[in-house]
Amino acid sequence: MYVRHLGLTDFRSWPRAEIDLQPGHTVFVAPNGFGKTNLLEALWYSATLGSHRVSTDAPLIRAGADRAVVSTVVVNDGRELAVDLEVTTGRANKARLNRSPVRSPREILGVLRAVLFAPEDLALVRGDPSERRRFLDEVATSLRPRIAGVRADYDKVLRQRTALLKTAGPARHRGDTGVLDTLEIWDGHLASHGAQLISARVDLVNKLGPEVEKAYQLLAPASRPAAIGYRSSVQVVETEAGNGTVDPMVYEAALLEECGRKRSAELERGVCLVGPHRDDLELRLGDQPAKGFASHGESWSMALGLRLASYELLRSEGTDPVLLLDDVFAELDSARRQALAKVAGSAEQVLVTAAVPEDLPADWDVRRVEVTMRDADGGRVSEVIT
């Protein structure tokens, strides 16, 4: 799989860009602030419908514009598919596949499979559980695009149930039992959708575990062994997940039971205390959690290990994902550079950003693309010179 063409309109710092790409190694070279990372971010957005830098879409739209458009042409086993994504302020985003509108942008998921390495990856180890949950959901969606719909349905139920909890507490004190009956209905929805999401995550963790162990050993052979696990706030689910089950019925029953057990606490606090939105991906080095105990080098190795593991897992599905490397070589020591370069060397397409060419592996045959600045009516804008 490779991206043959990338087109941008009012995306981040780019008023417009049309870039022809090809298989092999392509490096975008420019000083910091010239917009080279925005190119990879656009491709990542086309693959996942999300940014690796921000949690909302508004910053993706260039200042003064009311929408941004990301267009890609993806080639997979000789077949071309064109995807157009329109990001709009204050309205639902739109998508087209081969110029035909689709009902939901989620329908284009799977057209482009990609794995991104970026300096922000340290947050996978050092950041909040939400960073690790997002990682799991992105990889799970790349493997099975329907998971995006499961996650969207769960988020909708979570919002509705949380809003109900905020009003149910006072209603209970007034003797209004109708709100509690309604809450039980939403308990069922949360358990049903939440169980599917947990099942997908546990299945992914079961598959990623051996790959993470191998990747970390490659990156840091002298370090402690790495391991991952799925940790849930639901105790029964935690036990079952440890045994490797992916049966959604097990999780649904456990979530319903936990909803009943936490009912008083939820009504008192007005928040949803049960569900996969409170879960975490556990990262361990030896007998210790990576967060708080890993050195800087170990944290980088763990973060890279997660990305390399996801790359190998996607690759095992039969198609090489596009590898996006956003200024990561400058962050790594020589051993980790070599390990990453070895994996990237066999990928069908690798797109890299670098401030200086010296950051890249010396033995790579690369196509170099310069990103420069030119004067325009609105000030200075980025421009690609191939």
Side-chain angles (χ1 to χ4, degrees):
M1 174 180 291
Y2 67 95
V3 179
R4 185 179 64 77
H5 183 80
L6 171 64
L8 302 178
T9 301
D10 291 327
F11 184 88
R12 288 285 195 180
S13 61
W14 293 89
R16 188 162 182 82
E18 298 291 339
I19 307 170
D20 290 322
L21 299 167
Q22 57 193 35
H25 301 84
T26 298
V27 56
F28 298 99
V29 180
N32 293 331
F34 274 50
K36 59 186 184 296
T37 289
N38 299 341
L39 301 175
L40 299 197
E41 184 180 25
L43 290 169
W44 183 244
Y45 190 89
S46 188
T48 67
L49 301 181
S51 163
H52 69 291
R53 298 194 287 177
V54 293
S55 58
T56 62
D57 288 346
L60 305 181
I61 303 173
R62 193 170 68 92
D66 59 2
R67 67 169 192 158
V69 178
V70 178
S71 300
T72 56
V73 178
V74 180
V75 181
N76 189 2
D77 290 333
R79 181 190 179 197
E80 285 195 354
L81 289 173
V83 173
D84 299 288
L85 285 168
E86 182 180 308
V87 185
T88 309
T89 302
R91 296 199 302 272
N93 296 339
K94 299 178 181 179
R96 292 186 300 169
L97 182 60
N98 287 340
R99 299 187 178 182
S100 298
V102 296
R103 289 176 297 176
S104 166
R106 293 199 302 267
E107 294 185 28
I108 63 92
L109 290 171
V111 173
L112 172 60
R113 285 186 171 187
V115 173
L116 171 72
F117 294 77
E120 289 82 1
D121 284 345
L122 271 183
L124 291 175
V125 181
R126 296 179 171 179
D128 294 333
S130 60
E131 298 284 349
R132 292 179 286 277
R133 290 194 297 267
R134 182 168 70 166
F135 164 77
L136 287 178
D137 293 343
E138 285 174 348
V139 179
T141 298
S142 294
L143 286 167
R144 305 288 181 265
R146 73 171 188 85
I147 299 302
V150 173
R151 180 57 194 266
D153 290 341
Y154 178 77
D155 287 344
K156 181 179 178 180
V157 169
L158 181 61
R159 288 192 299 269
Q160 295 281 0
R161 189 172 183 273
T162 300
L164 184 60
L165 282 168
K166 292 182 184 299
T167 62
R172 180 181 60 164
H173 292 306
R174 295 193 304 267
D176 183 355
T177 60
V179 175
L180 296 180
D181 292 339
T182 303
L183 186 57
E184 288 188 2
I185 296 174
W186 284 105
D187 288 351
H189 293 319
L190 179 133
S192 175
H193 295 299
Q196 294 179 62
L197 186 56
I198 294 175
S199 176
R201 288 177 179 176
V202 172
D203 183 44
L204 175 60
V205 170
N206 290 341
K207 294 175 180 176
L208 273 181
E211 297 295 340
V212 170
E213 184 178 354
K214 288 189 294 185
Y216 188 84
Q217 177 65 24
L218 174 69
L219 293 162
S223 180
R224 299 163 288 174
I228 64 173
Y230 190 75
R231 186 172 66 217
S232 175
S233 57
V234 182
Q235 294 303 313
V236 174
V237 174
E238 184 176 4
T239 302
E240 295 289 353
N243 293 332
T245 183
V246 295
D247 183 0
M249 297 300 294
V250 172
Y251 303 127
E252 185 171 351
L255 287 167
L256 282 172
E257 182 179 347
E258 191 69 7
C259 283
R261 192 159 37 232
K262 295 281 180 66
R263 172 73 78 241
S264 295
E266 288 188 322
L267 291 171
E268 183 70 25
R269 296 173 56 180
V271 295
C272 188
L273 300 175
V274 180
H277 66 288
R278 302 185 68 85
D279 295 351
D280 197 0
L281 172 64
E282 186 177 44
L283 310 176
R284 300 192 67 83
L285 292 176
D287 296 329
Q288 294 179 316
K291 184 176 181 179
F293 290 89
S295 67
H296 182 73
E298 288 174 330
S299 296
W300 256 119
S301 293
M302 178 62 83
L304 284 171
L306 290 171
R307 293 298 187 189
L308 286 173
S310 64
Y311 178 79
E312 293 298 339
L313 188 56
L314 288 169
R315 202 178 201 182
S316 70
E317 296 283 305
T319 300
D320 277 14
V322 176
L323 202 52
L324 308 174
L325 307 179
D326 182 22
D327 208 21
V328 291
F329 284 110
E331 302 282 345
L332 305 177
D333 60 25
S334 59
R336 293 176 178 85
R337 279 190 183 192
Q338 288 181 343
L340 180 55
K342 182 178 180 180
V343 173
S346 61
E348 184 172 2
Q349 185 179 50
V350 186
L351 303 174
V352 191
T353 65
V356 292
E358 289 73 23
D359 287 340
L360 301 176
D363 57 346
W364 268 13
D365 179 19
V366 301
R367 176 193 181 214
R368 180 168 164 173
V369 177
E370 299 282 349
V371 180
T372 64
M373 288 283 190
R374 65 177 176 83
D375 292 325
D377 292 341
R380 292 179 63 78
V381 298
S382 302
E383 183 177 45
V384 168
I385 298 177
T386 59

